[in-house]
């Protein structure tokens, strides 16, 4: 044993390396558009580039930064690229990056209020401010978790408990329970069904409701499905409305769905993981029409609010149901802090990162005007792209442009002028491959009612028409 043996022995080396890393980050962000968006690595490439290790004596930061550049970077797909239009474009903004840096330096764990009061209190304050900025009702309890998948799981677990079958105490096995059911549209994100599976409801425990021509949930079909299920002895548990679906950013009719949920005593969960951020601009708030009926709402600032991955917010007006479902306090976690929120009581995980810090920095640094303007601009860019595409005979929009999302396909016609479905799909796939292989942009695909389409999602903080117009160059 050596008294003075510690891990980090050279603060000056760290200072130099950290300054160099910040320079690296600033250069990366400034020049990112020159990089190919999609990594060109073949599977297994990294192992061929990475030196053996770790060594007995360790390596300097300087050497490791070189290896990072040469070995790791070629395998990176640049999500922070302004021509990243696949899945949902996201942004590791300057303010967000600073937040991540500071939070990892503090390395706090906000499992209890007393394990760092400011971690819990900033989360409470920033989520209430964000709630107000998005025009959501007052009095909601907010919590940050890593992803919307987890937040939806927590909300649906609370919904299951709220049915009154005392599942926490009695469990779901060794007794006879009716079939519970969760409803969502055929356009809802797979995380909703996954949550139902994890909650033991099974595939039979979900019912996908047809969507209309604009890919929004058909509320009449929901009404019929619930009535039919009730007749058959099924217990409706929850309905998930999506405001900004994954494929087309369609917006489910929240008010009608909420009325049905209310009447049928179902929990209403709103998946606004993508679309919710847009409501920082009052012009996008029509998606909240009826949101006061929601029991829970999820919004991901890590999708479209310029906050680095990961940061997903769950708001609920029934936090007591989250507590009833999840609070379990062993002796070693008992505290006498008085009336405070201990976030470990509201979910599955104990430890929690200081995610509120980066979200706070993003909201405070950019300010409301800039956040609104950038998001409004994204929607404008999507509209401009949709207009340009609509003007062409060889292209067809597969869904109305909504928020930052445009879905289209190439159309191939036979001599009679009829669309050849198989040839259209082939042409669209070829187009997508050509775009992505170019490195100049990255788009993803979806299938809508059996039609294969290219999906462009605009949402990176550095995106301008210059990047969006690249889509047109390939047509
Ligand atoms: N909900 C919607 C509408 C989504 O589009 C997505 C992902 O794209 C999710 C949920 C899942 O998000 P997360 O990765 O945060 O679990």
């Amino acid at each position: 044993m050596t008294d003075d043996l510690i891990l980090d022995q050279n603060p000056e080396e760290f200072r130099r390396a950290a300054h160099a890393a910040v320079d690296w980050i600033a250069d990366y962000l400034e020049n990112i558009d020159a990089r190919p968006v999609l990594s060109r690595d073949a599977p297994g490439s990294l192992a061929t580039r990475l030196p053996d290790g770790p060594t007995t004596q360790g390596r300097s930061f300087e050497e490791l930064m070189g290896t990072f550049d040469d070995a790791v970077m070629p395998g990176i797909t640049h999500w922070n690229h302004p021509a990243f239009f696949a899945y949902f474009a996201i942004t590791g903004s300057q303010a967000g990056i600073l937040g991540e840096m500071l939070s990892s330096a503090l390395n706090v764990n906000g499992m209890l209020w007393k394990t760092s009061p400011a971690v819990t209190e900033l989360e409470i304050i920033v989520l209430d401010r964000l709630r107000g900025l998005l025009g959501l009702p007052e009095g909601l309890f907010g919590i940050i978790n890593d992803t919307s998948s987890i937040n939806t799981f927590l909300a649906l677990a609370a919904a299951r408990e709220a049915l009154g079958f005392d599942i926490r105490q009695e469990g779901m096995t060794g007794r006879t329970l009716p079939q519970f059911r969760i409803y969502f549209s055929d356009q809802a994100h797979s995380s909703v069904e996954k949550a139902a599976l994890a909650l033991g409801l099974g595939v039979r425990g979900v019912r996908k409701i047809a969507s209309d021509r604009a890919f929004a949930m058909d509320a009449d079909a929901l009404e019929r499905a619930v009535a039919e299920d009730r007749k058959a002895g099924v217990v409706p548990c929850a309905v998930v409305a999506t405001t900004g679906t994954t494929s087309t950013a369609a917006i489910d009719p929240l008010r009608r769905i909420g009325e049905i949920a209310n009447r049928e005593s179902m929990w209403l969960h709103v998946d606004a993981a993508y679309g919710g951020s847009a409501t920082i601009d009052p012009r996008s708030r029509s998606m909240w029409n009826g949101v006061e009926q929601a029991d829970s709402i999820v919004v991901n600032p890590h999708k479209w609010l310029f906050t680095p991955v990961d940061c997903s917010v769950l708001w609920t007006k029934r936090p007591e149901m989250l507590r009833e479902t999840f609070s379990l306090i062993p002796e070693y976690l008992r505290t006498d802090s008085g009336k405070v929120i201990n976030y470990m009581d509201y979910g599955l995980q104990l430890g929690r990162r200081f995610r509120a810090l980066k979200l706070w920095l993003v909201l405070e640094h950019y300010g409301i005007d800039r956040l609104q303007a950038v998001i409004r601009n994204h929607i404008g860019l999507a509209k401009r792209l949709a207009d340009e595409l609509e003007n062409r005979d060889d292209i067809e929009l597969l869904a109305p442009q909504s928020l930052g999302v445009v879905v289209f396909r190439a159309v191939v016609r036979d001599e009679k002028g009829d669309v050849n479905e198989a040839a259209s799909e082939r042409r669209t796939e070829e187009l997508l491959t050509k775009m992505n292989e170019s490195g100049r942009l990255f788009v993803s695909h979806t299938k809508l009612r059996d039609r294969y389409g290219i999906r462009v999602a605009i949402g990176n903080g550095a995106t301008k028409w210059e990047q969006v117009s690249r889509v047109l160059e390939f047509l």
Side-chain angles (χ1 to χ4, degrees):
M1 200 175 86
T2 315
D3 265 358
D4 57 359
L5 181 68
I6 58 165
L7 184 67
D8 281 320
Q9 302 193 338
N10 193 341
E12 277 314 310
E13 186 201 8
F14 171 70
R15 193 178 292 277
R16 272 196 311 277
H19 279 293
V22 170
D23 282 337
W24 186 97
I25 292 169
D27 290 342
Y28 174 72
L29 294 178
E30 225 174 295
N31 303 313
I32 192 166
D33 197 22
R35 294 179 186 257
V37 191
L38 192 62
S39 166
R40 290 170 171 154
D41 260 7
S45 301
L46 178 62
T48 65
R49 293 192 297 261
L50 208 59
D52 284 345
T55 60
T56 52
Q57 299 301 306
R59 302 182 200 266
S60 69
F61 287 133
E62 200 179 349
E63 180 187 345
L64 289 168
M65 276 304 286
T67 309
F68 168 72
D69 249 337
D70 301 340
V72 179
M73 283 305 286
I76 292 297
T77 287
H78 300 284
W79 284 72
N80 244 351
H81 198 293
F84 185 108
F85 305 125
Y87 315 109
F88 278 120
I90 57 177
T91 310
S93 60
Q94 294 171 352
I97 292 168
L98 275 179
E100 283 286 6
M101 285 164 61
L102 295 173
S103 136
S104 59
L106 298 175
N107 200 30
V108 284
N109 185 334
M111 57 198 196
L112 298 168
W113 174 85
K114 89 164 188 194
T115 57
S116 258
V119 174
T120 295
E121 293 186 12
L122 192 63
E123 189 156 327
I124 295 168
I125 292 167
V126 79
L127 293 191
D128 197 52
R129 289 182 184 178
L130 180 60
R131 178 204 56 69
L133 289 179
L134 301 187
L136 288 169
E138 280 184 27
L140 295 173
F141 167 92
I143 181 169
I144 302 180
N145 285 298
D146 55 356
T147 56
S148 140
S149 303
I150 294 301
N151 276 331
T152 293
F153 168 81
L154 299 179
L156 294 180
R160 191 186 61 171
E161 195 60 31
L163 287 175
F165 288 88
D166 206 9
I167 287 168
R168 176 179 176 126
Q169 179 59 32
E170 303 296 333
M172 292 179 71
T173 57
R175 62 173 173 148
T176 308
L177 286 173
Q179 175 79 56
F180 301 158
R181 197 152 275 162
I182 294 177
Y183 304 84
F184 45 88
S185 93
D186 56 16
Q187 297 297 309
H189 190 262
S190 54
S191 56
V192 182
E193 185 165 357
K194 248 193 194 179
L197 298 183
L199 289 164
L201 269 59
V203 173
R204 269 163 48 85
V206 306
R207 187 152 175 182
K208 294 184 189 175
I209 306 299
S211 50
D212 62 16
R213 289 187 56 199
F215 301 97
M217 191 195 284
D218 174 348
D220 292 335
L222 171 69
E223 203 159 24
R224 286 194 299 273
V226 175
E228 199 179 287
D229 279 357
R230 279 237 187 258
K231 240 191 211 158
V234 170
V235 175
C237 170
V239 53
V240 180
T242 310
T243 58
T245 59
T246 310
S247 279
T248 68
I251 292 171
D252 287 348
L254 205 48
R255 181 163 299 287
R256 279 284 321 279
I257 294 170
E259 283 160 8
I260 297 166
N262 223 348
R263 203 173 58 230
E264 299 289 343
S265 306
M266 291 189 282
W267 185 286
L268 171 61
H269 177 64
V270 180
D271 180 354
Y274 165 64
S277 297
T279 64
I280 198 160
D281 181 5
R283 283 174 233 195
S284 289
R285 286 200 193 142
S286 56
M287 80 171 73
W288 289 151
N289 190 355
V291 77
E292 65 284 353
Q293 305 170 98
D295 295 287
S296 53
I297 305 154
V298 65
V299 175
N300 278 9
H302 78 217
K303 277 201 184 358
W304 202 5
L305 209 54
F306 316 112
T307 307
V309 174
D310 51 10
C311 184
S312 175
V313 179
L314 178 68
W315 281 287
T316 177
K317 62 178 173 198
R318 300 175 70 183
E320 75 287 354
M321 282 317 306
L322 279 180
R323 278 181 67 106
E324 268 181 48
T325 309
F326 290 110
S327 179
L328 183 68
I329 308 171
E331 186 51 41
Y332 45 84
L333 293 173
R334 268 185 209 290
T335 65
D336 51 4
S337 311
K339 263 183 91 75
V340 293
I341 285 177
N342 292 313
Y343 269 121
M344 72 162 194
D345 290 333
Y346 298 85
L348 210 48
Q349 66 189 66
L350 170 63
R352 50 193 302 103
R353 304 177 60 222
F354 193 5
R355 297 189 184 93
L357 184 62
K358 59 185 171 183
L359 181 55
W360 175 71
L361 279 164
V362 166
L363 298 181
E364 297 294 332
H365 175 69
Y366 297 111
I368 301 167
D369 285 355
R370 183 119 58 103
L371 294 170
Q372 286 182 349
V374 174
I375 287 191
R376 201 180 305 140
N377 194 46
H378 289 157
I379 297 173
L381 291 171
K383 169 132 192 17
R384 183 167 170 191
L385 177 65
D387 288 346
E388 297 261 1
L389 291 170
E390 251 183 330
N391 281 336
R392 301 178 59 108
D393 302 337
D394 55 345
I395 295 292
E396 174 184 49
L397 291 189
L398 290 184
Q401 169 260 330
S402 176
L403 301 174
V405 178
V406 179
V407 185
F408 68 95
R409 69 167 177 169
V411 177
V412 181
R413 293 177 197 278
D414 59 23
E415 310 85 67
K416 282 194 277 166
D418 295 332
V419 175
N420 180 328
E421 290 296 330
S424 298
E425 176 158 341
R426 265 198 313 278
R427 174 79 55 85
T428 309
E429 274 187 87
E430 282 162 15
L431 199 54
L432 177 134
T433 306
K434 219 161 68 176
M435 288 178 180
N436 290 345
E437 279 181 352
S438 77
R440 301 190 63 235
L441 73 167
F442 179 26
V443 293
S444 54
H445 79 276
T446 188
K447 247 191 178 166
L448 294 168
R449 310 216 164 110
D450 283 337
R451 289 178 176 164
Y452 180 96
I454 293 175
R455 192 179 153 286
V456 180
I458 298 161
N460 179 272
T463 300
K464 303 187 227 161
W465 178 248
E466 180 189 336
Q467 284 86 26
V468 178
S469 64
R470 286 176 198 169
V471 171
L472 301 172
E473 291 170 22
F474 288 84
L475 304 182

